[in-house]
Amino acid sequence: MRDFELDDRFWRDALTALQAGERADALAERYPEYVDLIGELALDAAGEPVLVGFRHAAADANPRLLALLSAAFLARSGKRTLLLDLDPEVRWLEQILGEDFKEGVVDHLQFGIPLEGCARVSGVDGLEVMSGGAAFL
């Protein structure tokens, strides 16, 4: 497990870099720990799939946005990436992307819905997203 602090400017800087089509390297000067993490994940993902989880320890932390940004930067580095929203309380991925995910992980596991019907393409090449699904409601 790795813990590091991200200040308020990180969110603005990361979103700006992402919108400009840049890779995580653009944040190296101000956030070297984060850029190192993305680099290590990209190296780890060279052969086998890698599972990464995000949690927050502080009330002002935003693991959801951090997960989305990290997945997008991994996809930008050339790694095929699937972002799973497994938060049963808030369907945050749908809120951020403005889509209603009818099927998701739980629907696939419980009801046999094909996985291909559960994942959605995103606005970032190489990044697909999947929610927990309707069964979470």
PDB file of all heavy atoms in Angstrom, residues 65-98:
ATOM      1  N   LEU A  65     -12.355  10.339  -7.890  1.00  0.00           N
ATOM      2  CA  LEU A  65     -11.718  11.141  -8.928  1.00  0.00           C
ATOM      3  C   LEU A  65     -10.282  10.661  -9.158  1.00  0.00           C
ATOM      4  O   LEU A  65      -9.818  10.601 -10.293  1.00  0.00           O
ATOM      5  CB  LEU A  65     -11.742  12.622  -8.560  1.00  0.00           C
ATOM      6  CG  LEU A  65     -11.192  13.585  -9.610  1.00  0.00           C
ATOM      7  CD1 LEU A  65     -11.888  13.399 -10.956  1.00  0.00           C
ATOM      8  CD2 LEU A  65     -11.339  15.017  -9.132  1.00  0.00           C
ATOM      9  N   LEU A  66      -9.593  10.289  -8.090  1.00  0.00           N
ATOM     10  CA  LEU A  66      -8.236   9.779  -8.224  1.00  0.00           C
ATOM     11  C   LEU A  66      -8.230   8.494  -9.056  1.00  0.00           C
ATOM     12  O   LEU A  66      -7.363   8.298  -9.906  1.00  0.00           O
ATOM     13  CB  LEU A  66      -7.619   9.534  -6.852  1.00  0.00           C
ATOM     14  CG  LEU A  66      -6.156   9.099  -6.846  1.00  0.00           C
ATOM     15  CD1 LEU A  66      -5.269  10.136  -7.520  1.00  0.00           C
ATOM     16  CD2 LEU A  66      -5.697   8.841  -5.423  1.00  0.00           C
ATOM     17  N   ALA A  67      -9.204   7.624  -8.833  1.00  0.00           N
ATOM     18  CA  ALA A  67      -9.301   6.392  -9.616  1.00  0.00           C
ATOM     19  C   ALA A  67      -9.547   6.703 -11.088  1.00  0.00           C
ATOM     20  O   ALA A  67      -8.916   6.112 -11.979  1.00  0.00           O
ATOM     21  CB  ALA A  67     -10.423   5.509  -9.071  1.00  0.00           C
ATOM     22  N   LEU A  68     -10.449   7.640 -11.374  1.00  0.00           N
ATOM     23  CA  LEU A  68     -10.748   8.008 -12.754  1.00  0.00           C
ATOM     24  C   LEU A  68      -9.531   8.617 -13.440  1.00  0.00           C
ATOM     25  O   LEU A  68      -9.176   8.239 -14.562  1.00  0.00           O
ATOM     26  CB  LEU A  68     -11.931   8.969 -12.798  1.00  0.00           C
ATOM     27  CG  LEU A  68     -12.360   9.447 -14.178  1.00  0.00           C
ATOM     28  CD1 LEU A  68     -12.758   8.283 -15.071  1.00  0.00           C
ATOM     29  CD2 LEU A  68     -13.521  10.433 -14.053  1.00  0.00           C
ATOM     30  N   LEU A  69      -8.872   9.546 -12.761  1.00  0.00           N
ATOM     31  CA  LEU A  69      -7.673  10.172 -13.336  1.00  0.00           C
ATOM     32  C   LEU A  69      -6.575   9.138 -13.572  1.00  0.00           C
ATOM     33  O   LEU A  69      -5.941   9.118 -14.631  1.00  0.00           O
ATOM     34  CB  LEU A  69      -7.151  11.273 -12.405  1.00  0.00           C
ATOM     35  CG  LEU A  69      -7.983  12.538 -12.316  1.00  0.00           C
ATOM     36  CD1 LEU A  69      -7.499  13.402 -11.161  1.00  0.00           C
ATOM     37  CD2 LEU A  69      -7.950  13.303 -13.616  1.00  0.00           C
ATOM     38  N   SER A  70      -6.355   8.267 -12.599  1.00  0.00           N
ATOM     39  CA  SER A  70      -5.296   7.256 -12.719  1.00  0.00           C
ATOM     40  C   SER A  70      -5.585   6.287 -13.857  1.00  0.00           C
ATOM     41  O   SER A  70      -4.687   5.939 -14.630  1.00  0.00           O
ATOM     42  CB  SER A  70      -5.134   6.497 -11.402  1.00  0.00           C
ATOM     43  OG  SER A  70      -4.794   7.395 -10.368  1.00  0.00           O
ATOM     44  N   ALA A  71      -6.835   5.867 -13.989  1.00  0.00           N
ATOM     45  CA  ALA A  71      -7.213   4.967 -15.082  1.00  0.00           C
ATOM     46  C   ALA A  71      -7.000   5.650 -16.428  1.00  0.00           C
ATOM     47  O   ALA A  71      -6.487   5.043 -17.373  1.00  0.00           O
ATOM     48  CB  ALA A  71      -8.663   4.524 -14.922  1.00  0.00           C
ATOM     49  N   ALA A  72      -7.374   6.919 -16.519  1.00  0.00           N
ATOM     50  CA  ALA A  72      -7.194   7.655 -17.773  1.00  0.00           C
ATOM     51  C   ALA A  72      -5.714   7.813 -18.113  1.00  0.00           C
ATOM     52  O   ALA A  72      -5.310   7.627 -19.266  1.00  0.00           O
ATOM     53  CB  ALA A  72      -7.873   9.024 -17.679  1.00  0.00           C
ATOM     54  N   PHE A  73      -4.890   8.125 -17.115  1.00  0.00           N
ATOM     55  CA  PHE A  73      -3.457   8.268 -17.376  1.00  0.00           C
ATOM     56  C   PHE A  73      -2.821   6.925 -17.744  1.00  0.00           C
ATOM     57  O   PHE A  73      -1.922   6.870 -18.578  1.00  0.00           O
ATOM     58  CB  PHE A  73      -2.740   8.901 -16.186  1.00  0.00           C
ATOM     59  CG  PHE A  73      -2.925  10.395 -16.096  1.00  0.00           C
ATOM     60  CD1 PHE A  73      -3.339  10.989 -14.925  1.00  0.00           C
ATOM     61  CD2 PHE A  73      -2.662  11.208 -17.187  1.00  0.00           C
ATOM     62  CE1 PHE A  73      -3.517  12.366 -14.839  1.00  0.00           C
ATOM     63  CE2 PHE A  73      -2.836  12.587 -17.122  1.00  0.00           C
ATOM     64  CZ  PHE A  73      -3.263  13.161 -15.944  1.00  0.00           C
ATOM     65  N   LEU A  74      -3.287   5.834 -17.136  1.00  0.00           N
ATOM     66  CA  LEU A  74      -2.777   4.513 -17.522  1.00  0.00           C
ATOM     67  C   LEU A  74      -3.142   4.202 -18.971  1.00  0.00           C
ATOM     68  O   LEU A  74      -2.322   3.693 -19.735  1.00  0.00           O
ATOM     69  CB  LEU A  74      -3.337   3.428 -16.602  1.00  0.00           C
ATOM     70  CG  LEU A  74      -2.581   3.197 -15.314  1.00  0.00           C
ATOM     71  CD1 LEU A  74      -3.341   2.221 -14.414  1.00  0.00           C
ATOM     72  CD2 LEU A  74      -1.184   2.670 -15.586  1.00  0.00           C
ATOM     73  N   ALA A  75      -4.375   4.507 -19.341  1.00  0.00           N
ATOM     74  CA  ALA A  75      -4.790   4.288 -20.733  1.00  0.00           C
ATOM     75  C   ALA A  75      -3.966   5.160 -21.678  1.00  0.00           C
ATOM     76  O   ALA A  75      -3.557   4.707 -22.750  1.00  0.00           O
ATOM     77  CB  ALA A  75      -6.279   4.584 -20.889  1.00  0.00           C
ATOM     78  N   ARG A  76      -3.695   6.394 -21.273  1.00  0.00           N
ATOM     79  CA  ARG A  76      -2.876   7.286 -22.100  1.00  0.00           C
ATOM     80  C   ARG A  76      -1.457   6.752 -22.281  1.00  0.00           C
ATOM     81  O   ARG A  76      -0.793   7.060 -23.259  1.00  0.00           O
ATOM     82  CB  ARG A  76      -2.780   8.668 -21.463  1.00  0.00           C
ATOM     83  CG  ARG A  76      -3.972   9.511 -21.676  1.00  0.00           C
ATOM     84  CD  ARG A  76      -3.756  10.466 -22.856  1.00  0.00           C
ATOM     85  NE  ARG A  76      -5.018  11.015 -23.279  1.00  0.00           N
ATOM     86  CZ  ARG A  76      -5.650  12.004 -22.681  1.00  0.00           C
ATOM     87  NH1 ARG A  76      -5.130  12.568 -21.620  1.00  0.00           N
ATOM     88  NH2 ARG A  76      -6.810  12.417 -23.140  1.00  0.00           N
ATOM     89  N   SER A  77      -0.990   5.953 -21.317  1.00  0.00           N
ATOM     90  CA  SER A  77       0.365   5.401 -21.428  1.00  0.00           C
ATOM     91  C   SER A  77       0.379   4.142 -22.297  1.00  0.00           C
ATOM     92  O   SER A  77       1.398   3.494 -22.434  1.00  0.00           O
ATOM     93  CB  SER A  77       0.946   5.094 -20.039  1.00  0.00           C
ATOM     94  OG  SER A  77       0.306   3.976 -19.461  1.00  0.00           O
ATOM     95  N   GLY A  78      -0.789   3.806 -22.877  1.00  0.00           N
ATOM     96  CA  GLY A  78      -0.855   2.673 -23.785  1.00  0.00           C
ATOM     97  C   GLY A  78      -1.363   1.390 -23.166  1.00  0.00           C
ATOM     98  O   GLY A  78      -1.388   0.347 -23.814  1.00  0.00           O
ATOM     99  N   LYS A  79      -1.794   1.441 -21.913  1.00  0.00           N
ATOM    100  CA  LYS A  79      -2.294   0.250 -21.232  1.00  0.00           C
ATOM    101  C   LYS A  79      -3.814   0.170 -21.379  1.00  0.00           C
ATOM    102  O   LYS A  79      -4.518   1.129 -21.078  1.00  0.00           O
ATOM    103  CB  LYS A  79      -1.934   0.261 -19.739  1.00  0.00           C
ATOM    104  CG  LYS A  79      -0.464   0.397 -19.477  1.00  0.00           C
ATOM    105  CD  LYS A  79       0.300  -0.733 -20.117  1.00  0.00           C
ATOM    106  CE  LYS A  79       1.783  -0.505 -19.974  1.00  0.00           C
ATOM    107  NZ  LYS A  79       2.553  -1.331 -20.868  1.00  0.00           N
ATOM    108  N   ARG A  80      -4.293  -0.953 -21.868  1.00  0.00           N
ATOM    109  CA  ARG A  80      -5.740  -1.163 -21.946  1.00  0.00           C
ATOM    110  C   ARG A  80      -6.257  -1.213 -20.507  1.00  0.00           C
ATOM    111  O   ARG A  80      -5.786  -2.001 -19.695  1.00  0.00           O
ATOM    112  CB  ARG A  80      -6.014  -2.473 -22.670  1.00  0.00           C
ATOM    113  CG  ARG A  80      -7.455  -2.669 -22.978  1.00  0.00           C
ATOM    114  CD  ARG A  80      -7.628  -3.845 -23.914  1.00  0.00           C
ATOM    115  NE  ARG A  80      -9.023  -4.190 -23.940  1.00  0.00           N
ATOM    116  CZ  ARG A  80      -9.486  -5.420 -23.935  1.00  0.00           C
ATOM    117  NH1 ARG A  80      -8.653  -6.432 -23.935  1.00  0.00           N
ATOM    118  NH2 ARG A  80     -10.764  -5.637 -23.958  1.00  0.00           N
ATOM    119  N   THR A  81      -7.247  -0.372 -20.194  1.00  0.00           N
ATOM    120  CA  THR A  81      -7.655  -0.164 -18.814  1.00  0.00           C
ATOM    121  C   THR A  81      -9.164  -0.272 -18.665  1.00  0.00           C
ATOM    122  O   THR A  81      -9.923   0.249 -19.479  1.00  0.00           O
ATOM    123  CB  THR A  81      -7.194   1.239 -18.344  1.00  0.00           C
ATOM    124  OG1 THR A  81      -5.794   1.382 -18.606  1.00  0.00           O
ATOM    125  CG2 THR A  81      -7.445   1.444 -16.878  1.00  0.00           C
ATOM    126  N   LEU A  82      -9.600  -0.950 -17.609  1.00  0.00           N
ATOM    127  CA  LEU A  82     -11.013  -1.047 -17.261  1.00  0.00           C
ATOM    128  C   LEU A  82     -11.185  -0.469 -15.868  1.00  0.00           C
ATOM    129  O   LEU A  82     -10.567  -0.928 -14.909  1.00  0.00           O
ATOM    130  CB  LEU A  82     -11.488  -2.503 -17.280  1.00  0.00           C
ATOM    131  CG  LEU A  82     -12.918  -2.758 -16.810  1.00  0.00           C
ATOM    132  CD1 LEU A  82     -13.928  -2.089 -17.745  1.00  0.00           C
ATOM    133  CD2 LEU A  82     -13.186  -4.249 -16.719  1.00  0.00           C
ATOM    134  N   LEU A  83     -12.029   0.542 -15.743  1.00  0.00           N
ATOM    135  CA  LEU A  83     -12.321   1.172 -14.457  1.00  0.00           C
ATOM    136  C   LEU A  83     -13.663   0.642 -13.961  1.00  0.00           C
ATOM    137  O   LEU A  83     -14.681   0.776 -14.637  1.00  0.00           O
ATOM    138  CB  LEU A  83     -12.387   2.696 -14.609  1.00  0.00           C
ATOM    139  CG  LEU A  83     -12.763   3.497 -13.365  1.00  0.00           C
ATOM    140  CD1 LEU A  83     -11.755   3.284 -12.248  1.00  0.00           C
ATOM    141  CD2 LEU A  83     -12.889   4.972 -13.709  1.00  0.00           C
ATOM    142  N   LEU A  84     -13.646   0.017 -12.789  1.00  0.00           N
ATOM    143  CA  LEU A  84     -14.857  -0.542 -12.189  1.00  0.00           C
ATOM    144  C   LEU A  84     -15.346   0.352 -11.064  1.00  0.00           C
ATOM    145  O   LEU A  84     -14.576   0.717 -10.180  1.00  0.00           O
ATOM    146  CB  LEU A  84     -14.577  -1.935 -11.612  1.00  0.00           C
ATOM    147  CG  LEU A  84     -14.096  -2.995 -12.577  1.00  0.00           C
ATOM    148  CD1 LEU A  84     -13.712  -4.257 -11.819  1.00  0.00           C
ATOM    149  CD2 LEU A  84     -15.155  -3.283 -13.615  1.00  0.00           C
ATOM    150  N   ASP A  85     -16.617   0.681 -11.075  1.00  0.00           N
ATOM    151  CA  ASP A  85     -17.254   1.427  -9.995  1.00  0.00           C
ATOM    152  C   ASP A  85     -17.987   0.411  -9.131  1.00  0.00           C
ATOM    153  O   ASP A  85     -19.051  -0.066  -9.493  1.00  0.00           O
ATOM    154  CB  ASP A  85     -18.229   2.441 -10.569  1.00  0.00           C
ATOM    155  CG  ASP A  85     -19.070   3.134  -9.506  1.00  0.00           C
ATOM    156  OD1 ASP A  85     -18.781   2.957  -8.303  1.00  0.00           O
ATOM    157  OD2 ASP A  85     -20.007   3.845  -9.876  1.00  0.00           O
ATOM    158  N   LEU A  86     -17.414   0.070  -7.996  1.00  0.00           N
ATOM    159  CA  LEU A  86     -18.025  -0.926  -7.119  1.00  0.00           C
ATOM    160  C   LEU A  86     -18.530  -0.315  -5.819  1.00  0.00           C
ATOM    161  O   LEU A  86     -18.653  -0.996  -4.808  1.00  0.00           O
ATOM    162  CB  LEU A  86     -17.023  -2.054  -6.833  1.00  0.00           C
ATOM    163  CG  LEU A  86     -16.590  -2.836  -8.062  1.00  0.00           C
ATOM    164  CD1 LEU A  86     -15.554  -3.891  -7.692  1.00  0.00           C
ATOM    165  CD2 LEU A  86     -17.775  -3.467  -8.758  1.00  0.00           C
ATOM    166  N   ASP A  87     -18.829   0.966  -5.852  1.00  0.00           N
ATOM    167  CA  ASP A  87     -19.367   1.640  -4.678  1.00  0.00           C
ATOM    168  C   ASP A  87     -20.879   1.430  -4.663  1.00  0.00           C
ATOM    169  O   ASP A  87     -21.603   1.986  -5.500  1.00  0.00           O
ATOM    170  CB  ASP A  87     -19.037   3.129  -4.736  1.00  0.00           C
ATOM    171  CG  ASP A  87     -19.457   3.870  -3.482  1.00  0.00           C
ATOM    172  OD1 ASP A  87     -20.321   3.361  -2.740  1.00  0.00           O
ATOM    173  OD2 ASP A  87     -18.925   4.955  -3.249  1.00  0.00           O
ATOM    174  N   PRO A  88     -21.392   0.630  -3.715  1.00  0.00           N
ATOM    175  CA  PRO A  88     -22.825   0.351  -3.713  1.00  0.00           C
ATOM    176  C   PRO A  88     -23.691   1.519  -3.225  1.00  0.00           C
ATOM    177  O   PRO A  88     -24.892   1.501  -3.416  1.00  0.00           O
ATOM    178  CB  PRO A  88     -22.942  -0.833  -2.746  1.00  0.00           C
ATOM    179  CG  PRO A  88     -21.777  -0.684  -1.834  1.00  0.00           C
ATOM    180  CD  PRO A  88     -20.680  -0.072  -2.661  1.00  0.00           C
ATOM    181  N   GLU A  89     -23.083   2.529  -2.640  1.00  0.00           N
ATOM    182  CA  GLU A  89     -23.859   3.632  -2.094  1.00  0.00           C
ATOM    183  C   GLU A  89     -24.085   4.759  -3.095  1.00  0.00           C
ATOM    184  O   GLU A  89     -25.141   5.378  -3.107  1.00  0.00           O
ATOM    185  CB  GLU A  89     -23.164   4.186  -0.849  1.00  0.00           C
ATOM    186  CG  GLU A  89     -23.105   3.178   0.277  1.00  0.00           C
ATOM    187  CD  GLU A  89     -22.338   3.705   1.461  1.00  0.00           C
ATOM    188  OE1 GLU A  89     -22.137   4.929   1.560  1.00  0.00           O
ATOM    189  OE2 GLU A  89     -21.932   2.894   2.293  1.00  0.00           O
ATOM    190  N   VAL A  90     -23.089   5.035  -3.919  1.00  0.00           N
ATOM    191  CA  VAL A  90     -23.175   6.156  -4.853  1.00  0.00           C
ATOM    192  C   VAL A  90     -22.731   5.676  -6.227  1.00  0.00           C
ATOM    193  O   VAL A  90     -21.640   5.140  -6.378  1.00  0.00           O
ATOM    194  CB  VAL A  90     -22.251   7.321  -4.405  1.00  0.00           C
ATOM    195  CG1 VAL A  90     -22.334   8.464  -5.395  1.00  0.00           C
ATOM    196  CG2 VAL A  90     -22.599   7.780  -3.016  1.00  0.00           C
ATOM    197  N   ARG A  91     -23.572   5.876  -7.206  1.00  0.00           N
ATOM    198  CA  ARG A  91     -23.217   5.473  -8.573  1.00  0.00           C
ATOM    199  C   ARG A  91     -22.454   6.637  -9.216  1.00  0.00           C
ATOM    200  O   ARG A  91     -22.908   7.264 -10.150  1.00  0.00           O
ATOM    201  CB  ARG A  91     -24.481   5.100  -9.323  1.00  0.00           C
ATOM    202  CG  ARG A  91     -25.151   3.881  -8.675  1.00  0.00           C
ATOM    203  CD  ARG A  91     -26.477   3.583  -9.250  1.00  0.00           C
ATOM    204  NE  ARG A  91     -26.308   3.027 -10.588  1.00  0.00           N
ATOM    205  CZ  ARG A  91     -27.316   2.553 -11.304  1.00  0.00           C
ATOM    206  NH1 ARG A  91     -28.531   2.590 -10.832  1.00  0.00           N
ATOM    207  NH2 ARG A  91     -27.093   2.070 -12.499  1.00  0.00           N
ATOM    208  N   TRP A  92     -21.268   6.899  -8.688  1.00  0.00           N
ATOM    209  CA  TRP A  92     -20.486   8.082  -9.040  1.00  0.00           C
ATOM    210  C   TRP A  92     -20.018   8.068 -10.479  1.00  0.00           C
ATOM    211  O   TRP A  92     -19.943   9.110 -11.119  1.00  0.00           O
ATOM    212  CB  TRP A  92     -19.304   8.245  -8.094  1.00  0.00           C
ATOM    213  CG  TRP A  92     -18.292   7.148  -8.187  1.00  0.00           C
ATOM    214  CD1 TRP A  92     -18.292   5.977  -7.490  1.00  0.00           C
ATOM    215  CD2 TRP A  92     -17.152   7.098  -9.035  1.00  0.00           C
ATOM    216  NE1 TRP A  92     -17.225   5.203  -7.845  1.00  0.00           N
ATOM    217  CE2 TRP A  92     -16.499   5.864  -8.799  1.00  0.00           C
ATOM    218  CE3 TRP A  92     -16.607   7.952  -9.984  1.00  0.00           C
ATOM    219  CZ2 TRP A  92     -15.350   5.473  -9.463  1.00  0.00           C
ATOM    220  CZ3 TRP A  92     -15.445   7.568 -10.641  1.00  0.00           C
ATOM    221  CH2 TRP A  92     -14.836   6.348 -10.380  1.00  0.00           C
ATOM    222  N   LEU A  93     -19.670   6.930 -11.026  1.00  0.00           N
ATOM    223  CA  LEU A  93     -19.170   6.873 -12.391  1.00  0.00           C
ATOM    224  C   LEU A  93     -20.245   7.328 -13.371  1.00  0.00           C
ATOM    225  O   LEU A  93     -19.973   8.068 -14.308  1.00  0.00           O
ATOM    226  CB  LEU A  93     -18.707   5.454 -12.711  1.00  0.00           C
ATOM    227  CG  LEU A  93     -17.868   5.255 -13.946  1.00  0.00           C
ATOM    228  CD1 LEU A  93     -16.652   6.168 -13.946  1.00  0.00           C
ATOM    229  CD2 LEU A  93     -17.420   3.810 -14.056  1.00  0.00           C
ATOM    230  N   GLU A  94     -21.453   6.925 -13.122  1.00  0.00           N
ATOM    231  CA  GLU A  94     -22.569   7.361 -13.957  1.00  0.00           C
ATOM    232  C   GLU A  94     -22.775   8.867 -13.841  1.00  0.00           C
ATOM    233  O   GLU A  94     -23.058   9.538 -14.830  1.00  0.00           O
ATOM    234  CB  GLU A  94     -23.844   6.628 -13.565  1.00  0.00           C
ATOM    235  CG  GLU A  94     -23.785   5.146 -13.848  1.00  0.00           C
ATOM    236  CD  GLU A  94     -25.051   4.424 -13.434  1.00  0.00           C
ATOM    237  OE1 GLU A  94     -26.095   5.081 -13.298  1.00  0.00           O
ATOM    238  OE2 GLU A  94     -24.993   3.208 -13.256  1.00  0.00           O
ATOM    239  N   GLN A  95     -22.634   9.389 -12.629  1.00  0.00           N
ATOM    240  CA  GLN A  95     -22.822  10.818 -12.422  1.00  0.00           C
ATOM    241  C   GLN A  95     -21.754  11.623 -13.151  1.00  0.00           C
ATOM    242  O   GLN A  95     -22.043  12.631 -13.789  1.00  0.00           O
ATOM    243  CB  GLN A  95     -22.799  11.149 -10.934  1.00  0.00           C
ATOM    244  CG  GLN A  95     -23.983  10.578 -10.184  1.00  0.00           C
ATOM    245  CD  GLN A  95     -23.842  10.722  -8.680  1.00  0.00           C
ATOM    246  OE1 GLN A  95     -22.860  11.237  -8.180  1.00  0.00           O
ATOM    247  NE2 GLN A  95     -24.837  10.247  -7.950  1.00  0.00           N
ATOM    248  N   ILE A  96     -20.509  11.164 -13.072  1.00  0.00           N
ATOM    249  CA  ILE A  96     -19.411  11.891 -13.720  1.00  0.00           C
ATOM    250  C   ILE A  96     -19.526  11.830 -15.234  1.00  0.00           C
ATOM    251  O   ILE A  96     -19.351  12.830 -15.931  1.00  0.00           O
ATOM    252  CB  ILE A  96     -18.045  11.332 -13.262  1.00  0.00           C
ATOM    253  CG1 ILE A  96     -17.791  11.712 -11.808  1.00  0.00           C
ATOM    254  CG2 ILE A  96     -16.919  11.842 -14.151  1.00  0.00           C
ATOM    255  CD1 ILE A  96     -16.557  11.087 -11.214  1.00  0.00           C
ATOM    256  N   LEU A  97     -19.845  10.645 -15.775  1.00  0.00           N
ATOM    257  CA  LEU A  97     -19.886  10.465 -17.224  1.00  0.00           C
ATOM    258  C   LEU A  97     -21.239  10.824 -17.830  1.00  0.00           C
ATOM    259  O   LEU A  97     -21.372  10.900 -19.044  1.00  0.00           O
ATOM    260  CB  LEU A  97     -19.507   9.026 -17.594  1.00  0.00           C
ATOM    261  CG  LEU A  97     -18.100   8.614 -17.173  1.00  0.00           C
ATOM    262  CD1 LEU A  97     -17.861   7.152 -17.511  1.00  0.00           C
ATOM    263  CD2 LEU A  97     -17.051   9.500 -17.833  1.00  0.00           C
ATOM    264  N   GLY A  98     -22.248  11.026 -16.988  1.00  0.00           N
ATOM    265  CA  GLY A  98     -23.553  11.423 -17.486  1.00  0.00           C
ATOM    266  C   GLY A  98     -24.284  10.315 -18.239  1.00  0.00           C
ATOM    267  O   GLY A  98     -25.043  10.598 -19.150  1.00  0.00           O
TER     268      GLY A  98
END
